[in-house]
Amino acid sequence: MNITVETTKPALLLDAGEITLGIQSRKEMENHYRVKENRNILTALCALINFGEGKVKVQSKNPDYSLAKHGVGDDLETSFKNIWPSTPLVFKQDQLNVFICVQPQSPDGSGGKPATIAINLFMRNGASSVEMSFDVAQEFLEKMAGAGGRSPLARLKGKRPGDGLQEEVHVQELAAAFFKQSKLTKMEKFPFSESKNVEYKSFETKKLLQRVKEILPRTVSAFANTDGGYLFIGLDEKEQQIVGFEAKNCHPKCLESEIEKCIRQLPVTHFCEEREKIKYTCKFMEVHKPGAVCSYVCALRVERFCCAVFAAEPDSWHVEDNHLKRFTTEEWVNQMIA
């Protein structure tokens, strides 16, 4: 992060350094550099909005840059709108310096809620883990704060599926029965689909550990914040077959250790007195095939959480002691429910 706090009074001035500006110029950039620049200026803008009033200064790398002629950049415009749609941004150019100006919020604006790049609070929507929108997250947190947490989930009730349609309760029961098994047969079909409470993956063996670490935070957050659920690693999504993974490429003990480490590091917010930890069960089922090396399916059951589980700290920034600082989860939540 390359951001300097130049002044804080009477208004904030943040210097975000050099950046490539212009719609066409940014399209021609290598993606890595475009994302890095976008991230830097977005962090500065987030802190500025949370400060209340001021400017972000950037210097164009393009010697012939004209704001009126070349624009800012599609990716930057999209990011600016996503972070805080109601904020009136004004762009001004002085030679190669471009200033992004934030005006004070109107009384009917944000209401003091923090501008946020990524909320990192997930929920299940159908068979997917999705990040809550700002409004949904606020409602979710306010309801829990008012109720002192969430009550235990009542057992789902409903009719058995008819005409080939699987209801949520039936899928969950099939997944629960599958979870209890200890030995499986390679390439055998399994009897359930993905749903609000069930997700399964079959990653490339060489990248299995990396991919699990990538999806686990948002998947655990989503299951814990909804009604709990099952994640199976080693099941083929397309063919709905048991494939497993070999221990020589990712040993079960290593994977189990990484799963435990990942889950224990997830930020949580409590509104209840019990302040329980995230409850989960991780197990490995042997996958057998005549003449083949034994492989495994990793099965993870995540319980419904009493309060809120984040995939990471909310990505929201402010200025403190002339430095940019990221809000802690507790600080961010307190502002959301104030």
Side-chain angles (χ1 to χ4, degrees), residues 161-178:
D163 301 326
L165 297 177
Q166 291 183 321
E167 296 181 356
E168 291 290 342
V169 62
H170 187 48
V171 174
Q172 191 171 358
E173 287 175 350
L174 291 172
F178 187 84

Side-chain angles (χ1 to χ4, degrees), residues 171-199:
V171 174
Q172 191 171 358
E173 287 175 350
L174 291 172
F178 187 84
F179 184 84
K180 293 178 181 179
Q181 298 186 58
S182 58
K183 292 185 179 181
L184 305 170
T185 302
K186 195 175 183 70
M187 305 312 292
E188 191 172 78
K189 296 279 187 178
F190 53 90
F192 51 88
S193 61
E194 290 188 305
S195 70
K196 183 179 73 173
N197 304 100
V198 180
E199 186 169 332

